[in-house]
């Protein structure tokens, strides 16, 4: 019902399957983080590892197009490239 009503007002043409895939991956990462130890050093290291697994999962799974993956790789290689991306 909500989707139909929103579609009647303005169709944003979002790729809902991709959004659902990234959302499911994010929820899984969050749920896994609940089981991490409370020790501060171990917790920080484990959360960094979990964040890296999330990014790798987004890149490996067929969620993003090849163009989006190339853009993300470029941003990961050099954050200063953000200016080039947004200048277009």
């Amino acid at each position: 019902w909500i989707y139909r009503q929103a579609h009647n007002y303005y169709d944003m043409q979002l790729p809902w399957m991709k959004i659902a895939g990234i959302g499911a991956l994010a929820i899984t990462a969050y749920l896994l983080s609940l089981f991490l130890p409370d020790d501060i050093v171990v917790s920080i290291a484990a959360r960094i590892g979990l964040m890296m697994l999330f990014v790798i999962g987004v890149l490996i799974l067929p969620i993003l197009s090849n163009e989006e993956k190339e853009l993300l790789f470029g941003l990961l290689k050099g954050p200063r490239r953000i200016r080039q991306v947004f200048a277009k």
Side-chain angles (χ1 to χ4, degrees):
W1 180 82
I2 293 174
Y3 177 76
R4 283 193 315 246
Q5 291 298 320
H7 185 72
N8 289 337
Y9 288 120
Y10 182 74
D11 185 16
M12 294 178 62
Q13 299 177 356
L14 294 175
W16 290 108
M17 293 305 294
K18 290 183 179 185
I19 292 172
I22 291 175
L25 195 60
I27 290 171
T28 302
Y30 171 73
L31 291 176
L32 287 174
S33 73
L34 295 177
F35 297 106
L36 295 177
D38 290 334
D39 183 33
I40 186 86
V41 175
V42 176
S43 177
I44 291 172
R47 289 173 197 271
I48 290 171
L50 191 58
M51 185 175 17
M52 289 173 60
L53 286 175
F54 174 77
V55 171
I56 290 170
V58 168
L59 293 175
I60 289 176
L61 295 175
I63 295 173
L64 301 177
S65 68
N66 288 335
E67 181 180 304
E68 293 167 333
K69 287 180 184 180
E70 289 175 10
L71 174 66
L72 187 58
F73 277 127
L75 292 175
L76 289 175
K77 286 180 184 177
R80 293 183 180 168
R81 296 181 188 195
I82 290 176
R83 291 183 190 143
Q84 296 171 352
V85 171
F86 290 111
K88 292 180 180 180

